[in-house]
Amino acid sequence: MFKLIVLSFLLVVSIFSTEAKGKCDISGIWNHSSKPAKLFVNLSKGEISVLSHDNNAKAIGLVVLKSIVLDSSSNSWDAKMYSAAEDSFVDVQIKSKSCNQLSVSFNNEEVLGLLR
């Protein structure tokens, strides 16, 4: 009987652990994948801003993405990102490749990678 209770407990814990892994909290500091910069994800404001940038101090504080909204059907977020080519904000998607890697895509092409 004791073994059955322990096995049942382990099964329940593993099910909840699997669900928790699928939902990452992306808030906090992230490293830019190709530049010496750190970005701050602030989901309460729905934006991502430049926290530090070794090559461009003027970029610090700049909002890179705004209007971040969770897509409840998947582990992704919709947002708006400034495009110099368009001279306006464009719709992008943020996808969590893992809890330590984010990909920002415009027209299904990655335009920004973030790492923890």
Side-chain angles (χ1 to χ4, degrees):
M1 180 66 173
F2 179 73
K3 288 182 182 180
L4 181 61
I5 293 172
V6 170
L7 287 174
S8 298
F9 175 75
L10 291 174
L11 179 62
V12 169
V13 168
S14 67
I15 289 171
F16 285 114
S17 296
T18 302
E19 288 179 3
K21 288 179 185 175
K23 298 178 183 174
C24 301
D25 180 9
I26 65 168
S27 298
I29 300 170
W30 290 80
N31 296 307
H32 193 292
S33 65
S34 62
K35 296 181 182 178
K38 293 186 184 297
L39 302 175
F40 182 68
V41 177
N42 186 335
L43 290 180
S44 64
K45 286 186 173 180
E47 64 185 31
I48 298 176
S49 59
V50 179
L51 185 64
S52 68
H53 197 307
D54 292 348
N55 295 343
N56 186 0
K58 291 181 181 179
I60 296 172
L62 184 73
V63 174
V64 180
L65 288 106
K66 65 180 187 176
S67 305
I68 299 172
V69 178
L70 177 66
D71 179 351
S72 59
S73 64
S74 64
N75 202 20
S76 66
W77 298 261
D78 295 319
K80 296 199 176 285
M81 182 176 191
Y82 182 75
S83 166
E86 303 287 329
D87 193 29
S88 65
F89 280 86
V90 296
D91 293 329
V92 294
Q93 292 72 44
I94 305 169
K95 294 194 188 250
S96 175
K97 292 183 175 182
S98 73
C99 290
N100 295 318
Q101 186 176 7
L102 295 176
S103 174
V104 179
S105 299
F106 173 66
N107 289 336
N108 294 320
E109 183 178 330
E110 184 175 89
V111 294
L112 173 62
L114 299 174
L115 305 167
R116 280 209 173 151

